[in-house]
Amino acid sequence: MTHSSTPALLSVYAAMPLQVVSGTGSWLVDQHGARWLDAYGGHAVVSTGHCHPHVVRAIRDQAKELIFYSTAIPHHGRETVAAMLAERCPGDLSRVFFCNSGAEANENALGLARRCTGRQQIVTLRGGWHGRTLAAVTCTDGESYEATAARAGAPVSRKVAFNDIAALEDAVDGSVAAVLIEPVQGLAGARACHPGFLQAARAACDRHGALLIFDEIQCGAGRCEGFTAAEAYAVTPDILTLAKGLASGIPIGAMVATHTIADVLKLGDLGSTFGGGPVAMAAAQATLEVIEDEQLVANATTIGRYLREGALALGVEGVDGKGLLVGIRLGRPAREIQHALFVHKVLTGTSADPTVLRMMPPLTFSQDDADQVLTALQKVLT
């Protein structure tokens, strides 16, 4: 990994060892013309593959007509994508607010839960990662994030152990506004919640009048065996947040709430200058169309299982995750394996668990792509 060599940029990212100049499908091309297989997906963002023709065409066509106007004026693209999301989300998750990132979506979800219940306390899970903005960082697990919240004078969430039903039921009481959960934790190492745990969370919220929020910033938009992980688990939250893969790389965030929850809002209660802008909506509409037309949810499910089975056949300690959010438990430092894979021109990710190698490739990832990743992984493991 390298840091930026440009003094004007803050050196805050550990950058992968290439300069990307173009990309197509699952492949990137660097400044030297070498091709790299992308099993990282721009951090689960490049859902339809790099530069999918339908998405590129939609962005180009919209940019020629109107690049931007704020939410002060209605726009048909915003209305169209909201309706498409309402159709794809389970239950009565039918009211949509657009913003620009996952953190913003979670901020608005937490604010809506507090407004709706009149309570302040939030319950979250160990290993959860929900963003760096103020309300979101109070819910993100980790000493550095809790320290950031403390410096701002913001109380941190009540955190419970992953998949621990008894601890969750003890934590949820009449003071709790919401339980915020990633159904498949991303940064923690692609850890999938047990179905019974999510069912228990739903029941605990119902008993105590709290709201259930699913953070599907990374695991949603077709990645984890359903358009939403909520659908895959057959557990419907009161609020669901989406972002990363929703517009194939154009910045976007969305909070989707039930009709009953959303009805507490009045004009001016939420706002976003750039949220739901014309180009972002064109990209999102095209992305949703590609996910449906090319049956990418089914592909993510099939290829995800193929990757997991292939990795297990190589003798790794275990494989976590769901769909194309895959965490390979190596029993050794994952960063060493990630760096060794760079030699084979394969991009993967690591996680908060230093022994887990994380893969979140485009939903278009093919069996041939998966075979090439597994072949490279076999070489570096042996």
Side-chain angles (χ1 to χ4, degrees):
M1 298 294 229
T2 62
H3 294 278
S4 172
S5 60
T6 304
L9 283 175
L10 284 174
S11 185
V12 293
Y13 299 113
M16 293 184 180
L18 72 159
Q19 288 275 353
V20 175
V21 297
S22 66
T24 303
S26 301
W27 294 86
L28 294 167
V29 178
D30 69 16
Q31 72 272 36
H32 305 297
R35 298 174 76 239
W36 294 68
L37 182 56
D38 187 8
Y40 184 66
H43 210 91
V45 170
V46 190
S47 53
T48 58
H50 295 282
C51 298
H52 191 288
H54 185 57
V55 178
V56 170
R57 186 163 48 249
I59 294 169
R60 181 194 62 205
D61 290 349
Q62 179 58 57
K64 287 194 299 185
E65 297 295 328
L66 179 68
I67 291 178
F68 181 72
Y69 206 86
S70 73
T71 48
I73 291 179
H75 186 266
H76 67 88
R78 192 177 305 126
E79 296 159 4
T80 297
V81 177
M84 293 174 77
L85 287 178
E87 290 172 2
R88 287 160 173 77
C89 289
D92 186 35
L93 288 166
S94 59
R95 305 290 293 278
V96 182
F97 174 76
F98 289 113
C99 49
N100 310 288
S101 68
E104 287 179 67
N106 284 337
E107 288 279 329
N108 283 287
L110 291 165
L112 178 55
R114 287 172 166 139
R115 180 186 296 271
C116 188
T117 63
R119 306 170 184 175
Q120 294 299 312
Q121 184 66 58
I122 306 296
V123 172
T124 58
L125 304 188
R126 290 293 174 191
W129 205 97
H130 303 287
R132 298 176 188 269
T133 50
L134 184 56
V137 82
T138 68
C139 297
T140 294
D141 189 28
E143 291 183 5
S144 63
Y145 303 114
E146 293 190 359
T148 297
R151 285 194 294 271
V156 299
S157 62
R158 186 179 294 168
K159 295 180 177 68
V160 301
F162 182 74
N163 271 343
D164 188 330
I165 292 176
L168 176 72
E169 291 176 339
D170 286 343
V172 182
D173 56 29
S175 70
V176 172
V179 176
L180 173 62
I181 295 173
E182 294 170 273
V184 184
Q185 289 188 332
L187 186 63
R191 299 196 303 181
C193 286
H194 190 278
F197 179 79
L198 295 182
Q199 292 162 7
R202 177 71 277 174
C205 287
D206 291 342
R207 275 197 307 276
H208 294 284
L211 303 189
L212 180 60
I213 305 172
F214 279 1
D215 174 345
E216 298 207 17
I217 305 307
Q218 189 168 131
C219 67
R223 183 159 295 276
C224 290
E225 302 186 8
F227 178 75
T228 63
E231 173 194 349
Y233 277 104
V235 176
T236 303
D238 301 291
I239 305 173
L240 184 145
T241 57
L242 296 163
K244 292 185 183 296
L246 191 54
S248 296
I250 298 296
I252 190 172
M255 179 189 73
V256 189
T258 65
H259 188 278
T260 301
I261 300 303
D263 274 354
V264 307
L265 294 170
K266 305 184 298 296
L267 283 176
D269 282 348
L270 302 180
S272 173
T273 297
F274 292 101
V279 174
M281 293 297 97
Q285 180 177 339
T287 297
L288 295 174
E289 289 167 349
V290 171
I291 289 172
E292 182 169 321
D293 293 346
E294 297 187 12
Q295 300 181 317
L296 295 188
V297 173
N299 186 69
T301 301
T302 299
I303 301 302
R305 290 174 182 168
Y306 186 81
L307 275 171
R308 283 192 289 278
E309 291 168 2
L312 288 169
L314 298 179
V316 301
E317 284 196 351
V319 184
D320 294 324
K322 202 174 185 68
L324 277 178
L325 183 49
V326 180
I328 301 175
R329 285 186 277 115
L330 299 169
R332 58 195 284 191
R335 194 167 298 281
E336 293 178 2
I337 302 303
Q338 180 197 36
H339 289 186
L341 286 169
F342 291 155
V343 176
H344 297 275
K345 300 291 190 291
V346 174
L347 300 181
T348 59
T350 54
S351 74
D353 184 329
T355 68
V356 173
L357 188 75
R358 194 167 31 142
M359 297 186 189
M360 37 202 165
L363 307 184
T364 54
F365 220 56
S366 68
Q367 184 171 317
D368 182 63
D369 295 333
D371 281 335
Q372 294 190 58
V373 170
L374 292 169
T375 298
L377 185 60
Q378 181 181 31
K379 290 177 180 177
V380 302
L381 289 176
T382 56

